[in-house]
Amino acid sequence: MLDLLKREVCEANLELVKKGVVIYTWGNVSGISSDREFMVIKPSGVPYDGMKPEDMVVLSIGTGKVVEGKWKPSSDTATHLELYRHFDSINAVVHTHSVNAVAFSQAGINIPAVGTTHADYFYGDIPCTRELLVHEVMDNYEANTGKVIIETIEKLGYDPMSIPGIVVRNHGPFTWGSDAANAVHNAVVLEKIAEMDYKTLMLNPSSEMKQYILDKHYMRKHGKNAYYGQ
Amino acid sequence: MLDLLKREVCEANLELVKKGVVIYTWGNVSGISSDREFMVIKPSGVPYDGMKPEDMVVLSIGTGKVVEGKWKPSSDTATHLELYRHFDSINAVVHTHSVNAVAFSQAGINIPAVGTTHADYFYGDIPCTRELLVHEVMDNYEANTGKVIIETIEKLGYDPMSIPGIVVRNHGPFTWGSDAANAVHNAVVLEKIAEMDYKTLMLNPSSEMKQYILDKHYMRKHGKNAYYGQ
Amino acid sequence: MLDLLKREVCEANLELVKKGVVIYTWGNVSGISSDREFMVIKPSGVPYDGMKPEDMVVLSIGTGKVVEGKWKPSSDTATHLELYRHFDSINAVVHTHSVNAVAFSQAGINIPAVGTTHADYFYGDIPCTRELLVHEVMDNYEANTGKVIIETIEKLGYDPMSIPGIVVRNHGPFTWGSDAANAVHNAVVLEKIAEMDYKTLMLNPSSEMKQYILDKHYMRKHGKNAYYGQ
Amino acid sequence: MLDLLKREVCEANLELVKKGVVIYTWGNVSGISSDREFMVIKPSGVPYDGMKPEDMVVLSIGTGKVVEGKWKPSSDTATHLELYRHFDSINAVVHTHSVNAVAFSQAGINIPAVGTTHADYFYGDIPCTRELLVHEVMDNYEANTGKVIIETIEKLGYDPMSIPGIVVRNHGPFTWGSDAANAVHNAVVLEKIAEMDYKTLMLNPSSEMKQYILDKHYMRKHGKNAYYGQ
């Protein structure tokens, strides 16, 4: 079942390696079926080298149980499920431990919207979540990781597709998108922006960008009168 | 029409990827015809992979309208046009989002002339433009990006070919040159210098170079008694 | 003798180069035989290029003497021997001069446990040893390098396999593992974590992670109820 | 004439590119004949791509004139000549603009001996020269670059082969060695050490290494009782 989605998700996992945002087994990509009943995700702790579409694991969004697949699903599965259940607009989720994004998550600092590279993809600062509390870590840790992402987005009150990524405190980046390839694209862009912003903050800790520049760049690409691209 | 220029501009766009100064569609190169009537530029938002000379777009310098091509031109087209209209000595323009140059543009800091690598190519600090005002962003943003580059160069009063690059505040680097390959060369050099200068400023924020060393290195390569090269 | 171990150790040495954690001859891997009587180690100062299993050197753990091999063993041989003699759980040892780990060792700073990437592999800060004293350097320097690693681990009172790496003051990282491939894996991870933590400390010098997050991530992968992987 | 030396010098120039310490034409390697009568050096401003031994230029050490070759010699020729004339132990010279070494030269800071990687190759801090004076730049600039290197070494009173490299203020690194390959090796090592030390100083500006550790590591590899290597 879901052969096309499995191919897309497998391909997207391999793309993480090609783009240099994961080493070893440090990342995972999932996608949701168009009826939003099933999630396809990378297996847990299986090397990328030689990974095939048939290695992907299929789970029910409703029950969270595996419905097909020869491997156990990614240990971050519950985080992905939370995001799909809460946000109807998200069709794919990516998690990596890319260096610069992790640095922001470890430092507990938002990746600030200080340039047009950022504004072309993310309509505002990429938030760093709060630290999880002890009981949130002890029980249902992975689901709570999803919940703290949701809490952060809802408190700030924005559409998750307008800022399709976040850094989880002491952990690392999660991104999402319209499909698996797009979510990986956002993971690569988030890492590149984090690298730019790291150096920017080193050069000038009070760097900032005016709201109207953020508006302009985001809207010329994503607004209703967008004129970027074909 | 302009087959040779299309090949040069296409090749120069691909060279940006090979040199690691762009990922995805984050850059564009244009060139001007020898009669300065037409500009050839990369299409907007089209992947570099598989890009061919016939994908390039031809515009009239006078009217700014597309005169040939199956794609829409780069969204930065109006910036390129401004530069060609104002500076007769510029035959090609490059825009990238290379990491270190962007860091300076986001931090709002000139890339300082503190070494001979810089002096071999750029006769003085590479300026960072002022921030665009709200009305300059709301209307004719891309043309105004070109105008603020021109304003910066004219206020400082130098020949644009003597410092063939600039960083636009909150945006990133633009470079230019005698042809498309040369403008790309300058984009790669500007990025490498930005990387050197980032680390230099981290080690010693008050780093500087004497004017006579700048003069010597620039002139031995570009002055009338130049003796660098064959 | 020990053909399989020689192949594993040779392969692991070559993997250091592929992963970019050594250049030239700047690293060495050893492994111990299952009866813990013999150590197989890379020869001293021999290039990785073209290195073969039969170039490995076999030494007696008991006497520290070479028992087979056409080359002199690594100059760090005595360090490896100390570690095998003292810790029964260590089956392989790796030494590199990878850039970010060396930076911590030169700065005399522990690599702090500030993120889950770290917690997935190392159950606590990766310590930096004290400086060796003059007499420890003048006589039996390499053995004393092993002894200061042991001293550091014993003072802190942890199982060496729970934090399978250390940085030796002014020198660089040593890692170990269940076999040669695992010890190299730990060397690559330690370097990547050091890179993340370097940037983290630059962004926020007081970065830290709660003990319960460290516990959770380490235990979900290495604890008795581990559920990471297959 | 000097076919073997031309091959060695050409190969060493190409190795600079392979090791990532030069881009474009930003470096040069020379070697001296065994009778110390002739220097073979890279031509000026000629791309590395496709460079052949017969492109090398031969000059007389005595007169500084070209005696063979179809190209003009490197613009840094006079610097190389000064070093050969003054130091009998130097058989090859390399100049690059590698990023981290340039950062130290632009910041005007010695590359400090704070680790054993450094101590394995350089017996003390790698000095940064003083700034050249205006008359030293106006007349015979390249020869004066050589003279300030010599002045720095003589003031500090060490054998140039014991610290086979230096950074020239506002310019970049020069290294030397027993032959062209060895001088390139030293250029690559100097750059790697500069990268380590940059990060070390960022983490802890007062990092230092005891003299006895420097002595031990340098001597175990280069002293009369050296025991590193075969």
Side-chain angles (χ1 to χ4, degrees):
Chain A
M1 60 187 293
L2 300 171
D3 283 348
L4 177 60
L5 186 58
K6 283 181 198 161
R7 279 211 301 278
E8 288 175 1
V9 169
C10 182
E11 182 59 38
N13 274 291
L14 298 176
E15 179 76 1
L16 291 178
V17 181
K18 282 187 211 151
K19 293 295 187 190
V21 289
V22 308
I23 61 165
Y24 295 128
T25 61
W26 298 7
N28 43 72
V29 182
S30 71
I32 195 168
S33 61
S34 53
D35 59 10
R36 302 191 79 78
E37 292 215 4
F38 301 103
M39 174 174 86
V40 170
I41 193 165
K42 175 182 167 289
S44 177
V46 169
Y48 290 91
D49 205 21
M51 189 181 282
K52 291 192 168 54
E54 54 266 34
D55 293 319
M56 300 300 107
V57 185
V58 184
L59 296 100
S60 159
I61 295 286
T63 66
K65 304 281 188 206
V66 172
V67 296
E68 194 193 276
K70 56 188 167 191
W71 303 106
K72 283 168 56 187
S74 165
S75 56
D76 295 310
T77 288
T79 312
H80 293 241
L81 286 170
E82 285 296 322
L83 296 175
Y84 290 123
R85 287 170 183 155
H86 199 84
F87 296 122
D88 280 350
S89 54
I90 292 179
N91 295 332
V93 173
V94 171
H95 173 48
T96 80
H97 287 244
S98 63
V99 169
N100 291 280
V102 165
F104 277 90
S105 82
Q106 294 187 157
I109 293 174
N110 297 348
I111 302 174
V114 292
T116 64
T117 324
H118 188 118
D120 281 340
Y121 290 90
F122 299 91
Y123 190 37
D125 291 357
I126 297 167
C128 182
T129 71
R130 67 168 171 81
E131 196 172 67
L132 288 176
L133 302 174
V134 61
H135 70 86
E136 294 171 321
V137 169
M138 300 302 273
D139 295 314
N140 300 314
Y141 168 61
E142 292 82 6
N144 287 327
T145 298
K147 286 186 202 301
V148 81
I149 293 173
I150 295 163
E151 174 194 311
T152 306
I153 293 172
E154 303 225 312
K155 268 199 185 159
L156 292 164
Y158 63 83
D159 170 2
M161 286 301 284
S162 72
I163 303 178
I166 204 163
V167 288
V168 174
R169 186 71 203 272
N170 293 121
H171 193 152
F174 285 80
T175 59
W176 41 85
S178 54
D179 62 20
N182 176 247
V184 168
H185 189 106
N186 290 335
V188 174
V189 171
L190 188 150
E191 171 62 10
K192 189 65 90 177
I193 290 169
E195 187 184 358
M196 290 171 173
D197 284 6
Y198 167 74
K199 292 190 166 184
T200 301
L201 293 179
M202 291 295 111
L203 284 170
N204 177 4
S206 59
S207 298
E208 56 184 25
M209 175 169 60
K210 286 287 193 298
Q211 181 67 37
Y212 57 82
I213 300 179
L214 177 62
D215 291 345
K216 174 68 186 181
H217 260 263
Y218 189 76
M219 292 306 171
R220 83 173 188 171
K221 206 164 162 186
H222 304 280
K224 63 173 186 240
N225 298 315
Y227 56 92
Y228 180 92
Q230 298 298 325
Chain B
M1 62 186 292
L2 300 170
D3 283 348
L4 177 60
L5 186 58
K6 284 181 199 162
R7 279 211 300 278
E8 287 175 0
V9 169
C10 181
E11 182 59 39
N13 274 291
L14 299 176
E15 180 75 2
L16 291 178
V17 181
K18 282 188 211 150
K19 292 295 186 191
V21 288
V22 307
I23 60 165
Y24 296 128
T25 60
W26 297 7
N28 43 70
V29 181
S30 71
I32 195 168
S33 61
S34 53
D35 59 10
R36 302 190 80 77
E37 292 214 5
F38 301 103
M39 174 174 84
V40 170
I41 193 166
K42 175 181 167 289
S44 177
V46 169
Y48 290 91
D49 205 21
M51 190 181 281
K52 292 192 166 52
E54 53 266 34
D55 294 319
M56 301 299 107
V57 185
V58 183
L59 295 100
S60 159
I61 295 286
T63 67
K65 304 280 188 206
V66 172
V67 296
E68 193 192 276
K70 55 188 167 188
W71 303 105
K72 282 168 55 188
S74 165
S75 55
D76 295 311
T77 289
T79 312
H80 292 241
L81 286 170
E82 284 297 321
L83 297 176
Y84 289 124
R85 286 170 183 157
H86 199 85
F87 296 122
D88 280 349
S89 53
I90 292 179
N91 295 332
V93 172
V94 171
H95 173 47
T96 80
H97 288 243
S98 63
V99 170
N100 292 281
V102 165
F104 277 89
S105 81
Q106 294 187 157
I109 295 173
N110 297 348
I111 302 174
V114 291
T116 63
T117 323
H118 188 118
D120 281 340
Y121 290 90
F122 299 92
Y123 191 37
D125 291 356
I126 297 167
C128 181
T129 70
R130 66 168 172 82
E131 196 172 65
L132 288 177
L133 302 174
V134 61
H135 69 86
E136 293 170 323
V137 169
M138 300 303 272
D139 296 314
N140 300 314
Y141 168 62
E142 292 82 7
N144 286 329
T145 298
K147 286 186 202 301
V148 81
I149 293 173
I150 295 163
E151 174 193 310
T152 306
I153 293 171
E154 303 224 312
K155 267 199 185 159
L156 291 165
Y158 62 84
D159 170 1
M161 287 300 284
S162 72
I163 303 178
I166 203 163
V167 288
V168 174
R169 186 71 202 272
N170 293 120
H171 193 151
F174 285 81
T175 58
W176 41 85
S178 54
D179 61 22
N182 176 249
V184 168
H185 190 106
N186 290 336
V188 174
V189 171
L190 187 151
E191 171 62 10
K192 189 65 93 177
I193 289 169
E195 187 184 359
M196 291 170 172
D197 284 6
Y198 167 73
K199 293 189 166 186
T200 301
L201 293 179
M202 291 295 111
L203 284 170
N204 177 4
S206 58
S207 298
E208 56 182 27
M209 175 169 61
K210 286 287 194 297
Q211 180 67 36
Y212 57 82
I213 299 179
L214 178 62
D215 291 345
K216 175 67 188 182
H217 261 263
Y218 189 77
M219 292 307 172
R220 82 173 188 170
K221 208 165 161 184
H222 303 280
K224 64 173 185 239
N225 298 315
Y227 56 94
Y228 180 92
Q230 297 300 323
Chain C
M1 60 186 295
L2 300 170
D3 284 348
L4 177 60
L5 185 58
K6 283 182 199 163
R7 279 211 300 278
E8 288 175 359
V9 169
C10 181
E11 182 60 38
N13 274 292
L14 298 177
E15 179 75 2
L16 291 179
V17 180
K18 283 188 210 150
K19 293 294 186 192
V21 289
V22 308
I23 61 166
Y24 294 127
T25 60
W26 297 7
N28 42 71
V29 182
S30 71
I32 195 168
S33 60
S34 53
D35 60 9
R36 303 191 78 78
E37 293 214 3
F38 301 103
M39 175 175 84
V40 170
I41 193 166
K42 176 182 166 288
S44 177
V46 169
Y48 290 91
D49 205 21
M51 190 181 283
K52 292 193 169 52
E54 54 265 34
D55 293 319
M56 300 301 107
V57 185
V58 183
L59 296 99
S60 159
I61 295 287
T63 67
K65 304 281 187 205
V66 172
V67 296
E68 194 193 276
K70 56 189 165 189
W71 304 105
K72 282 167 57 186
S74 165
S75 56
D76 295 310
T77 289
T79 312
H80 293 240
L81 286 170
E82 285 297 321
L83 296 176
Y84 290 124
R85 286 170 183 158
H86 199 84
F87 296 122
D88 280 348
S89 55
I90 291 178
N91 295 332
V93 173
V94 172
H95 173 47
T96 81
H97 287 243
S98 63
V99 169
N100 291 280
V102 165
F104 277 89
S105 81
Q106 293 186 157
I109 294 175
N110 295 350
I111 302 175
V114 292
T116 64
T117 324
H118 188 117
D120 282 340
Y121 290 90
F122 298 91
Y123 192 36
D125 292 356
I126 297 166
C128 181
T129 71
R130 67 168 172 81
E131 198 172 67
L132 288 176
L133 302 174
V134 61
H135 69 87
E136 293 170 322
V137 170
M138 300 302 273
D139 295 315
N140 300 313
Y141 168 62
E142 292 82 6
N144 287 328
T145 297
K147 286 186 202 300
V148 81
I149 294 172
I150 295 163
E151 174 195 309
T152 306
I153 294 171
E154 303 226 310
K155 268 198 184 159
L156 291 164
Y158 63 83
D159 170 1
M161 286 300 284
S162 71
I163 302 178
I166 206 164
V167 289
V168 173
R169 185 71 202 273
N170 294 121
H171 193 153
F174 284 80
T175 58
W176 42 84
S178 54
D179 61 21
N182 176 249
V184 167
H185 189 106
N186 290 335
V188 174
V189 171
L190 187 151
E191 171 61 11
K192 189 65 92 177
I193 290 169
E195 187 184 358
M196 290 171 174
D197 284 6
Y198 167 73
K199 293 189 166 187
T200 301
L201 294 178
M202 290 295 111
L203 284 170
N204 178 3
S206 59
S207 298
E208 56 183 25
M209 176 168 60
K210 287 286 193 297
Q211 181 67 35
Y212 57 82
I213 300 179
L214 178 62
D215 290 346
K216 174 68 187 182
H217 261 263
Y218 188 76
M219 292 305 171
R220 82 172 189 171
K221 208 165 162 185
H222 304 280
K224 63 174 184 239
N225 298 313
Y227 56 92
Y228 180 93
Q230 298 298 324
Chain D
M1 62 186 292
L2 301 170
D3 284 347
L4 178 60
L5 185 59
K6 283 181 199 162
R7 278 211 300 278
E8 288 175 0
V9 169
C10 181
E11 182 59 38
N13 274 291
L14 299 176
E15 180 75 2
L16 290 179
V17 181
K18 282 189 211 152
K19 292 295 186 191
V21 289
V22 307
I23 61 166
Y24 295 128
T25 60
W26 298 6
N28 43 70
V29 181
S30 71
I32 196 169
S33 61
S34 53
D35 59 9
R36 304 191 77 78
E37 293 215 2
F38 300 103
M39 174 174 84
V40 170
I41 193 165
K42 176 180 166 289
S44 177
V46 169
Y48 290 91
D49 205 21
M51 189 181 282
K52 292 193 168 52
E54 53 265 35
D55 294 319
M56 301 299 107
V57 185
V58 184
L59 296 101
S60 159
I61 295 286
T63 66
K65 304 281 187 204
V66 172
V67 295
E68 193 192 276
K70 55 189 166 188
W71 304 106
K72 282 167 56 187
S74 166
S75 56
D76 295 311
T77 289
T79 312
H80 293 240
L81 286 170
E82 284 297 322
L83 297 176
Y84 289 123
R85 286 170 182 156
H86 198 84
F87 296 122
D88 280 348
S89 53
I90 292 178
N91 295 332
V93 173
V94 171
H95 173 47
T96 80
H97 288 243
S98 63
V99 169
N100 291 282
V102 165
F104 277 90
S105 82
Q106 293 187 157
I109 295 174
N110 296 350
I111 302 174
V114 292
T116 63
T117 324
H118 188 117
D120 281 341
Y121 291 90
F122 298 92
Y123 191 37
D125 292 356
I126 297 167
C128 181
T129 71
R130 68 168 171 83
E131 197 173 66
L132 288 176
L133 302 174
V134 60
H135 69 86
E136 292 170 323
V137 170
M138 301 303 272
D139 296 315
N140 300 314
Y141 168 62
E142 292 81 7
N144 286 329
T145 298
K147 286 186 200 302
V148 81
I149 293 172
I150 295 163
E151 173 194 311
T152 306
I153 293 171
E154 304 226 311
K155 268 199 183 160
L156 292 164
Y158 62 82
D159 170 2
M161 286 301 283
S162 72
I163 302 179
I166 205 163
V167 289
V168 173
R169 185 72 202 270
N170 293 119
H171 193 152
F174 284 80
T175 58
W176 42 85
S178 54
D179 60 21
N182 176 249
V184 168
H185 190 106
N186 290 335
V188 174
V189 171
L190 187 150
E191 170 61 10
K192 189 65 92 177
I193 290 169
E195 187 184 358
M196 290 170 173
D197 284 5
Y198 167 74
K199 293 189 166 187
T200 301
L201 293 179
M202 291 294 111
L203 285 170
N204 178 3
S206 59
S207 298
E208 56 182 28
M209 175 169 59
K210 287 285 193 300
Q211 181 67 35
Y212 57 81
I213 300 179
L214 177 62
D215 291 345
K216 175 67 187 182
H217 261 264
Y218 188 76
M219 291 307 171
R220 82 173 189 170
K221 207 165 162 186
H222 303 279
K224 65 175 183 236
N225 297 314
Y227 57 93
Y228 180 92
Q230 298 299 324

